[in-house]
């Protein structure tokens, strides 16, 4: 059976548009200019060559990126003090099983929250290492969720996370193909399931269930989804924009106005030839300047 596991939450698109804008401007000049007309519209009657020259001449000041770096640096000026039970201290030296210490992971989370307003932390279990670890997802990865009422309390019953899977090309072993797969964390009949859905076609329009795992803790299944969503001002799945979104808008307007001023200066600075007292011009006898 094919499932529409890539269905987006009805509030996702509006939030993702702002998140993408913030991520682009906080990535710096090259990324902003690579987006072309999305953030710097082409003028009426302007050719592609003229537009590219205008874009390249335009000054971009990375105010958003510098502000994010300053705020994140201020937060992590000192390492966080974390208290864990005896015997588990070594987990903090590699909290993700990718040789990432806890304080580095915390810094990544802060950077993402400042960038898009959201960071997702999933707690998982590695069978080979026989230990828990954390997995971080950027805000754009969380595409859908659902809350249900349970004894008068709203609990998270569904989370859909988009991941990228690397596969070897069918025709070339040195070529890597990237496919979107979806990690689904869901409560079914009171039991937590960790599922993975993958595409059944190259176009990525249809998906099928690839695996369905029921994680255990002390031999018992979980009745909750082990996930934490950190937003700008809350711990929930609800959409919140970055606290720097307004600064990014100012940064964009500065980029546009700088382009407008640059055009004026460019054309005003060009020398204009004016000839008086000449009634005819002979192409065979050109006027030479300089």
């Amino acid at each position: 059976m094919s499932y529409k596991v890539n269905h987006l939450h009805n509030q996702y698109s509006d939030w993702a548009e702002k998140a993408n804008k913030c991520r682009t401007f906080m990535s710096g000049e090259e990324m902003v200019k690579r987006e072309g007309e999305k953030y710097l519209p082409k003028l009426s009657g302007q050719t592609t060559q003229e537009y590219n020259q205008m874009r390249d001449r335009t000054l971009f000041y990375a105010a958003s990126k510098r502000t994010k770096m300053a705020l994140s640096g201020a937060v992590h000026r000192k390492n966080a003090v974390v208290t864990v039970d005896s015997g588990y201290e070594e987990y903090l030296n590699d909290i993700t099983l990718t040789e990432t210490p806890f304080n580095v992971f915390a810094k990544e989370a802060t950077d993402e929250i400042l960038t898009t307003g959201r960071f997702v932390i999933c707690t998982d279990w590695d069978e080979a290492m026989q230990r828990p670890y954390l997995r971080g997802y950027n805000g754009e990865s969380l595409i859908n969720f659902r809350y249900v009422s349970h004894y008068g309390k709203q609990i998270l019953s569904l989370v859909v996370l988009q991941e990228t899977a690397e596969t070897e090309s069918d025709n070339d072993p040195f070529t890597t193909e990237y496919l979107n797969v979806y990690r689904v964390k869901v409560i079914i009949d009171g039991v937590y399931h960790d599922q993975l859905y993958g595409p059944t076609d190259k176009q990525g329009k249809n998906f099928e269930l690839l695996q369905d795992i029921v994680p255990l803790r002390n031999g018992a299944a979980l009745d909750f989804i082990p996930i934490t969503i950190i937003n700008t001002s809350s711990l929930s799945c609800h959409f919140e924009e970055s606290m720097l979104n307004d600064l990014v808008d100012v940064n964009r307007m500065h980029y546009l106005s700088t382009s407008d001023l640059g055009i004026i200066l460019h054309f005003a600075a060009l020398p204009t030839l004016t000839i008086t007292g000449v009634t005819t011009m002979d192409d065979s006898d050109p006027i030479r300047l300089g």
Side-chain angles (χ1 to χ4, degrees):
M1 178 182 292
S2 178
Y3 299 91
K4 198 172 182 179
V5 67
N6 59 343
H7 175 74
L8 301 178
H9 191 277
N10 59 1
Q11 298 176 8
Y12 179 84
S13 296
D14 291 339
W15 174 87
E17 184 176 352
K18 294 180 181 179
N20 179 260
K21 175 190 63 179
C22 290
R23 187 176 295 282
T24 300
F25 274 79
M26 291 183 198
S27 296
E29 178 178 6
E30 292 183 358
M31 186 62 69
V32 172
K33 291 188 174 181
R34 189 181 301 171
E35 292 292 332
E37 295 183 55
K38 183 175 182 179
Y39 298 116
L40 184 64
K42 182 185 291 186
L43 300 179
S44 177
Q46 197 173 39
T47 66
T48 299
Q49 182 179 4
E50 290 171 338
Y51 171 79
N52 291 338
Q53 291 173 347
M54 176 191 74
R55 180 198 60 195
D56 293 341
R57 285 194 306 267
T58 300
L59 169 69
F60 177 80
Y61 179 66
S64 303
K65 179 180 180 180
R66 291 172 179 269
T67 302
K68 183 191 76 170
M69 294 172 61
L71 290 174
S72 180
V75 171
H76 295 278
R77 184 171 60 88
K78 295 182 179 180
N79 288 335
V81 178
V82 184
T83 302
V84 296
D85 292 339
S86 178
Y88 295 96
E89 295 87 356
E90 64 179 50
Y91 288 2
L92 298 177
N93 298 324
D94 186 6
I95 199 68
T96 63
L97 292 183
T98 58
E99 300 183 354
T100 302
F102 173 82
N103 283 298
V104 174
F105 183 76
K107 176 69 163 51
E108 293 174 356
T110 303
D111 288 343
E112 281 296 315
I113 295 166
L114 289 171
T115 300
T116 66
R118 165 179 287 187
F119 187 67
V120 182
I121 303 174
C122 298
T123 304
D124 214 331
W125 174 266
D126 186 90
E127 193 65 32
M129 297 290 291
Q130 286 292 296
R131 55 154 289 189
Y133 67 98
L134 301 181
R135 300 180 66 179
Y137 293 82
N138 62 34
E140 297 94 326
S141 298
L142 202 166
I143 65 170
N144 199 7
F145 64 88
R146 184 182 303 127
Y147 282 93
V148 296
S149 180
H150 183 69
Y151 292 103
K153 182 180 179 181
Q154 293 291 310
I155 64 169
L156 193 60
S157 65
L158 171 71
V159 171
V160 181
L161 297 162
Q162 179 178 293
E163 298 180 355
T164 301
E166 298 182 2
T167 60
E168 181 182 300
S169 173
D170 295 335
N171 302 319
D172 187 351
F174 297 99
T175 302
T176 302
E177 295 181 347
Y178 299 91
L179 301 174
N180 287 333
V181 296
Y182 295 87
R183 179 80 53 184
V184 177
K185 297 178 178 292
V186 60
I187 301 295
I188 302 176
D189 296 328
V191 175
Y192 164 57
H193 290 247
D194 189 312
Q195 302 175 335
L196 184 66
Y197 287 80
T200 59
D201 52 74
K202 290 291 186 179
Q203 292 73 31
K205 294 183 179 180
N206 300 298
F207 300 86
E208 64 180 354
L209 180 63
L210 301 179
Q211 70 178 33
D212 187 352
I213 300 174
V214 178
L216 303 178
R217 183 175 62 179
N218 296 327
L222 304 179
D223 60 356
F224 64 94
I225 299 177
I227 189 173
T228 301
I229 298 96
I230 308 175
N231 291 322
T232 298
S233 63
S234 66
L235 299 175
S236 70
C237 286
H238 298 295
F239 296 95
E240 293 184 34
E241 65 185 34
S242 166
M243 63 180 291
L244 298 178
N245 181 69
D246 292 339
L247 175 62
V248 171
D249 288 336
V250 174
N251 205 168
R252 182 187 180 189
M253 290 307 300
H254 179 265
Y255 179 47
L256 290 170
S257 60
T258 301
S259 177
D260 292 339
L261 291 174
I263 293 172
I264 296 172
L265 292 174
H266 175 68
F267 285 103
L270 293 176
T272 303
L273 174 64
T274 302
I275 301 176
T276 61
V278 178
T279 57
T280 61
M281 296 288 291
D282 188 353
D283 293 341
S284 64
D285 187 19
I287 297 175
R288 301 183 183 276
L289 300 175

